[in-house]
Amino acid sequence: MIKKFFTGVLSSFVGAWLALFVFSVSSVILSFAFLGAFAGSTSVSTNGVQEKSVLYLNMASSFSERSNPDEALMSILGENENMSMSSLETVLKALRVAKDNKKIEGVFIECNGTSAGTATLSEIRRALKEFKESGKWVIAYGNSGITQGDYYVASMADSIILNPVGSVDIHGLSSSIPFFKNLLDKVGVEMQVLRVGTFKSAVEPYVETEASEANRTATQAYITSLWGELTKEISESRGMSVERLNEMADSLMLTQPVGYLLENKIIDGLSYRFDLIDRMKDRTGVNASDDLRLVSPEDVAALEVPTLGMDKVAVVYAVGEIDGNGEGVNSEELVKDIIKISKDNSIKALVLRVNSPGGSAYGSEQIWAALEEVKKAGKPFAVSMGDLAASGGYYISCGADRIYAEPTTITGSIGIFGMIPCFKELMNDKLGVNLSVINTNKNGNFISLTSPMTEEQRAAMQKMISQGYELFTTRCAEGRGMELDALKKIAEGRVWDGVTAKEIGLVDEFGNLADAVDYVVEQAKVGEYTVEVYPVQEPSFMRYLKGTVKASVNEMIGIETSGLYKYQSVANDILSRDHIQCLMEPIEIR
């Protein structure tokens, strides 16, 4: 009841507008859809792959894990112009196909400021390296500028070309953690926190104003390792020392003139985009008066003819927060899919693709238990880790026969915490609402959001959290074949990079989703097979509509409620989560 009350207070400003807004958005979308059908085409062909084509990779994308089931509609709606919304799955498939397809002459990478994670970029970079083994060329281009993420991928190209007035930004890694305690104090919300794990710092943003020493130590360690991996790979590709690369990173490279970039072999040449396009026409044998035949990853990936064997391999995606807000991992639905897989005799093996910071401890345990049923059915089970497989993301991974990760994957964070907000000050002092509580027993109103926990209640909750930690660490120790005491030494909620995780036994091998699939296929001793992907995706039109409505409603809330808007997302996040979490701290690595 209290949750509903607070949610109502925070959202009441938009209720009267919602129906009118949804109608307006629907009308606008339909209008643009009809207009889009007659609009001019983009520079990238979506009409198939011709001879003398060039695969176009737009680094503006954040590269979602999975491909869209109806990419064409997104293109009509203007959401996929120049193929900037390609998925990691599609890009990797396209590069694999393009390597051996005679219609593809090379790859053109356009650096437009990717927001993808380091492990995602590592997978693309390795796929480019394998593509180059065919003898085909790769050119990277930066128009206004090449960001650090762009450059990491672009460094695998045969040549990096920059606009004469462009820039390159290599500056090292930085981790930013937002802290909300002062904000919560202002609105009268006290976060009551219980946790196990010295390094379990996901609760710190709600009870501290800056990172603890343990948090700083762990974060410094893994971002240093990530940066070491990135600089090692860049230096090998560009033929420069890591020391020199770090010197240049410290030189405020973004401000350096293009002459500095050429002199230090950061780039290979300067060109306006139209001139580079003409040169690629000449290189591919296309007439100067014709368009360069750029083709999208979607079109190239579609050239791959899937095998249609009787046997099946299930690939299950666990992407996003587990039972958190918005799009993420719905544990209840995912468990249904996994149990179905365990009972389907035509499905011989399972690969779990994890890109998750964790979330609900309860939801994580349910997914773990469902995956154990797959193993009991005698089906090989492997995990492929993406950018993140931490806390609950590791919980659901730990039982796998084999765990694959990138050197730049962030994983571990084996710890647990409970967080119960108390709105007493907000209710009494800010809103002027007083509650009279009448109980039959001394703990009749536990858990209460309007009064702080007693010492007895806090002790009971801490015991519950400790039991949850024992279960979590036991699951991990048994799954990894380690002694519990040894596992606990690398647990404590500490976050690890992929390189260190492999050294301490949390990861088995470096590799991607394809490697994990190859492993389970070999273990299951199947010949030709069909891949079945779970969960089944919602049509992108519905996701588009929901996302547009949500973004516009949030904007309206900001206009209508002024100062209250900045409190809404934090408050809604607190109210909607389970009280007990296996979740890593929110971080932004730049």
Side-chain angles (χ1 to χ4, degrees):
M1 180 64 73
I2 296 298
K3 280 191 178 184
K4 291 180 179 178
F5 171 78
F6 282 107
T7 304
V9 169
L10 291 166
S11 62
S12 61
F13 296 100
V14 300
W17 292 85
L18 191 55
L20 176 62
F21 175 73
V22 172
F23 173 78
S24 301
V25 168
S26 301
S27 301
V28 170
I29 289 174
L30 290 174
S31 298
F32 276 112
F34 282 113
L35 289 173
F38 298 99
S41 63
T42 67
S43 60
V44 182
S45 169
T46 57
N47 298 317
V49 180
Q50 306 174 53
E51 298 288 341
K52 304 177 182 179
S53 290
V54 175
L55 174 59
Y56 177 72
L57 182 57
N58 190 338
M59 293 302 293
S61 181
S62 59
F63 301 107
S64 61
E65 281 285 340
R66 298 179 62 180
S67 58
N68 250 322
D70 44 1
E71 204 75 58
L73 178 59
M74 298 300 286
S75 182
I76 291 175
L77 292 171
E79 287 296 293
N80 213 16
E81 185 175 359
N82 285 337
M83 298 299 109
S84 63
M85 299 294 286
S86 296
S87 68
L88 176 62
E89 177 188 16
T90 300
V91 169
L92 297 181
K93 185 184 291 185
L95 287 167
R96 184 171 65 247
V97 171
K99 176 182 177 181
D100 300 317
N101 191 288
K102 294 180 180 180
K103 293 181 179 179
I104 305 297
E105 298 284 328
V107 173
F108 176 38
I109 304 171
E110 187 142 33
C111 301
N112 286 314
T114 183
S115 57
T118 50
T120 294
L121 298 177
S122 291
E123 291 197 51
I124 295 172
R125 195 176 187 280
R126 187 166 63 250
L128 284 166
K129 182 178 182 180
E130 292 171 358
F131 171 83
K132 288 174 62 178
E133 291 172 358
S134 66
K136 298 181 180 182
W137 51 267
V138 178
I139 293 176
Y141 180 72
N143 209 2
S144 60
I146 301 176
T147 64
Q148 188 162 267
D150 291 338
Y151 192 83
Y152 175 50
V153 174
S155 64
M156 184 51 67
D158 300 308
S159 56
I160 302 175
I161 309 299
L162 183 67
N163 190 290
V165 292
S167 61
V168 177
D169 184 16
I170 301 175
H171 53 262
L173 295 182
S174 174
S175 172
S176 300
I177 307 171
F179 286 81
F180 305 108
K181 185 180 185 302
N182 289 339
L183 184 151
L184 295 172
D185 288 345
K186 288 180 181 179
V187 296
V189 176
E190 176 194 2
M191 296 305 300
Q192 302 171 102
V193 167
L194 309 104
R195 64 174 174 175
V196 179
T198 304
F199 295 91
K200 195 61 182 175
S201 51
V203 298
E204 288 186 4
Y206 304 99
V207 294
E208 305 289 348
T209 56
E210 60 181 27
S212 66
E213 191 60 36
N215 191 356
R216 288 183 180 278
T217 298
T219 304
Q220 185 68 60
Y222 72 72
I223 66 171
T224 299
S225 180
L226 292 181
W227 180 241
E229 190 66 27
L230 267 59
T231 52
K232 180 185 74 173
E233 293 184 22
I234 292 172
S235 66
E236 289 173 354
S237 297
R238 298 298 298 172
M240 65 179 71
S241 69
V242 170
E243 292 75 18
R244 181 56 185 150
L245 185 58
N246 274 307
E247 288 175 6
M248 289 185 283
D250 291 336
S251 72
L252 296 175
M253 189 183 293
L254 181 64
T255 67
Q256 297 290 353
V258 292
Y260 173 91
L261 303 176
L262 285 167
E263 179 183 343
N264 286 281
K265 299 181 180 179
I266 294 295
I267 60 174
D268 299 296
L270 301 172
S271 175
Y272 292 102
R273 190 179 189 277
F274 60 83
D275 184 50
L276 179 61
I277 294 296
D278 285 343
R279 281 192 275 159
M280 283 193 285
K281 287 180 190 179
D282 184 61
R283 186 166 188 170
T284 57
V286 173
N287 292 330
S289 59
D290 294 336
D291 289 334
L292 179 64
R293 294 172 186 170
L294 297 178
V295 289
S296 69
E298 285 71 22
D299 277 348
V300 176
L303 296 175
E304 183 176 70
V305 179
T307 57
L308 297 174
M310 295 294 291
D311 293 330
K312 300 174 185 175
V313 172
V315 173
V316 178
Y317 281 86
V319 179
E321 189 174 327
I322 299 172
D323 295 335
N325 290 325
E327 293 187 5
V329 180
N330 182 321
S331 64
E332 184 176 348
E333 295 301 318
L334 198 64
V335 165
K336 290 179 183 177
D337 285 337
I338 295 170
I339 294 299
K340 176 184 174 183
I341 290 166
S342 72
K343 295 178 178 179
D344 188 335
N345 292 330
S346 68
I347 297 178
K348 304 301 182 182
L350 180 149
V351 173
L352 183 68
R353 172 67 175 186
V354 182
N355 197 343
S356 172
S360 165
Y362 174 83
S364 300
E365 168 69 12
Q366 307 317 300
I367 297 170
W368 173 90
L371 290 165
E372 288 297 298
E373 293 301 307
V374 174
K375 293 165 63 179
K376 290 175 185 177
K379 301 181 182 186
F381 160 41
V383 162
S384 167
M385 293 179 169
D387 295 315
L388 282 173
S391 204
Y394 194 81
Y395 199 136
I396 65 177
S397 303
C398 68
D401 302 322
R402 202 153 196 81
I403 297 177
Y404 291 83
E406 294 294 322
T408 50
T409 293
I410 294 174
T411 188
S413 191
I414 301 170
I416 190 169
F417 67 88
M419 195 159 58
I420 302 172
C422 178
F423 295 94
K424 181 177 176 61
E425 184 182 345
L426 173 61
M427 288 280 287
N428 297 164
D429 300 342
K430 308 293 183 181
L431 299 177
V433 176
N434 295 300
L435 295 179
S436 291
V437 180
I438 302 170
N439 297 323
T440 60
N441 297 76
K442 62 179 180 179
N443 293 314
N445 68 333
F446 182 72
I447 296 172
S448 172
L449 300 182
T450 57
S451 58
M453 287 188 290
T454 65
E455 287 302 316
E456 179 185 5
Q457 291 168 347
R458 182 177 285 274
M461 281 296 297
Q462 184 61 60
K463 182 179 179 181
M464 184 180 180
I465 298 298
S466 297
Q467 290 171 343
Y469 182 69
E470 287 300 312
L471 180 62
F472 189 178
T473 52
T474 298
R475 298 291 191 225
C476 292
E478 292 176 350
R480 300 305 298 157
M482 300 172 66
E483 293 293 330
L484 183 58
D485 288 343
L487 188 282
K488 285 184 175 180
K489 289 179 181 179
I490 57 176
E492 289 285 334
R494 181 157 184 171
V495 177
W496 302 98
D497 61 277
V499 172
T500 309
K502 185 172 180 290
E503 292 172 356
I504 61 179
L506 294 179
V507 167
D508 293 303
E509 286 190 36
F510 295 140
N512 57 19
L513 179 59
D515 296 317
V517 170
D518 288 343
Y519 170 80
V520 296
V521 166
E522 181 180 350
Q523 295 300 306
K525 296 180 172 60
V526 298
E528 289 193 343
Y529 61 91
T530 300
V531 172
E532 284 198 354
V533 180
Y534 300 85
V536 175
Q537 284 187 307
E538 185 180 44
S540 59
F541 174 75
M542 292 304 298
R543 294 202 306 275
Y544 177 86
L545 180 59
K546 288 178 181 178
T548 303
V549 170
K550 181 178 180 181
S552 298
V553 167
N554 283 342
E555 183 179 351
M556 289 169 61
I557 294 172
I559 295 170
E560 295 297 321
T561 65
S562 185
L564 286 178
Y565 174 56
K566 62 184 179 182
Y567 307 137
Q568 185 212 14
S569 61
V570 176
N572 280 348
D573 185 59
I574 293 168
L575 287 169
S576 63
R577 292 186 181 187
D578 288 348
H579 292 311
I580 302 177
Q581 292 277 309
C582 297
L583 182 70
M584 73 171 289
E585 63 271 21
I587 60 170
E588 179 185 356
I589 298 179
R590 301 182 59 189

